[in-house]
């Protein structure tokens, strides 16, 4: 005859040792995460995330958004002064595919993607593709030091004081926590958006090739 199960749940008014252990472990993990995140406090994007003001790029379901030509709206007119003190206008991009990268030197993901951005830039220069950075936080000396450290050869607009370039794009497309990378079609319209570091060269290169294949 089968033996009846002799296992019973032990219930009392007090939590079991395993429950208390799980709570202690959970509290310890939460504390460790808080310390780890607080170590990034100088990063405005991290501070915004911790304060609930910004959704971190890693939380987005869609990192890459391609915009159909019929829904791209108007060309984006923008400009400013580069880290080398040179004036730049989007008029210089007329008829060309362009990549615009929003970044700043203290942004960890921006540092992580730097070599990949430069690699894509080098690959597509023969295709007459233009790259321009938009530094939203630093001054020129910091931006130049970043370029020297990571081997960046394309220019960046110094947008920290005016915010004009970021505002120009924010009127037509969401500009979230950096890095954000935009691909502009030959008419100067936003054709694609990458939120977060590009994580290799293939995705951005494919988006550029798609824009190059379109008729002006």
């Amino acid at each position: 005859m089968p033996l009846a199960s002799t296992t019973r749940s032990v219930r009392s008014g007090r939590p079991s040792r395993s429950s208390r252990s799980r709570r202690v472990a959970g509290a310890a993990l939460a504390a460790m995460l808080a310390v780890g995140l607080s170590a990034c406090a100088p990063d405005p994007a991290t501070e915004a995330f911790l304060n609930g003001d910004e959704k971190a790029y890693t939380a987005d379901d869609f990192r890459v958004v391609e915009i159909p030509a019929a829904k791209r709206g108007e060309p984006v007119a923008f400009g400013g002064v580069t880290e080398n003190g040179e004036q730049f206008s989007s008029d210089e991009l007329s008829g060309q595919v362009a990549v615009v990268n929003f970044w700043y030197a203290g942004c960890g993901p921006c540092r992580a993607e730097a070599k990949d951005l430069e690699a894509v830039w080098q690959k597509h220069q023969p295709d007459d593709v233009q790259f321009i950075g938009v530094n939203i936080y630093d001054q020129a000396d910091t931006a130049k030091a970043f370029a020297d450290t990571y081997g960046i050869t394309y220019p960046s607009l110094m947008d920290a004081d005016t915010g004009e370039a970021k505002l120009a794009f924010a009127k037509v497309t969401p500009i979230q926590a950096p890095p954000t990378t935009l691909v502009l079609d030959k008419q100067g319209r936003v054709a694609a958006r990458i939120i977060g570091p590009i994580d290799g060269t293939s995705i951005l290169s494919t988006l550029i090739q798609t824009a190059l294949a379109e008729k002006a």
Side-chain angles (χ1 to χ4, degrees), residues 29-204:
L29 177 60
M32 290 170 63
L33 288 173
V35 170
L37 289 172
S38 65
C40 300
D43 184 332
T46 301
E47 289 182 342
F49 171 64
L50 291 172
N51 293 332
D53 299 327
E54 189 88 59
K55 182 160 59 174
Y57 71 86
T58 50
D60 288 342
D61 293 328
F62 296 96
R63 286 188 61 246
V64 180
V65 177
E66 294 185 74
I67 304 169
K71 296 183 178 181
R72 290 176 191 168
E74 296 298 319
V76 182
F78 67 103
V81 179
T82 72
E83 70 270 49
N84 294 316
E86 299 173 347
Q87 291 286 337
F88 172 85
S89 169
S90 56
D91 292 340
E92 299 175 32
L93 305 176
S94 179
Q96 298 174 310
V97 171
V99 174
V100 182
N101 175 255
F102 291 83
W103 70 283
Y104 64 97
C107 160
C110 301
R111 296 193 295 268
E113 73 171 359
K115 65 179 180 63
D116 290 329
L117 284 169
E118 177 65 20
V120 180
W121 158 237
Q122 293 294 337
K123 175 181 178 179
H124 288 288
Q125 280 193 67
D127 300 325
D128 208 20
V129 173
Q130 299 297 320
F131 272 52
I132 184 78
V134 179
N135 187 301
I136 63 173
Y137 191 71
D138 304 314
Q139 297 302 312
D141 287 345
T142 301
K144 286 189 283 189
F146 182 97
D148 290 342
T149 299
Y150 293 96
I152 302 299
T153 59
Y154 56 85
S156 282
L157 302 180
M158 304 312 300
D159 206 45
D161 293 336
T162 67
E164 292 177 359
K166 184 176 181 180
L167 178 61
F169 282 98
K171 291 178 180 178
V172 299
T173 190
I175 302 297
Q176 300 190 359
T180 294
T181 302
L182 307 176
V183 177
L184 308 185
D185 65 16
K186 297 172 185 176
Q187 298 179 43
R189 304 174 302 174
V190 178
R193 180 175 69 249
I194 302 174
I195 299 169
I198 65 172
D199 191 22
T201 62
S202 61
I203 293 177
L204 179 56

Side-chain angles (χ1 to χ4, degrees), residues 9-44:
S9 299
V10 178
R11 298 183 180 181
S12 68
R14 295 177 299 173
S16 68
R17 289 184 180 179
S18 61
S19 297
R20 290 197 299 272
S21 297
R22 286 195 295 270
R23 284 203 298 270
V24 171
L29 177 60
M32 290 170 63
L33 288 173
V35 170
L37 289 172
S38 65
C40 300
D43 184 332

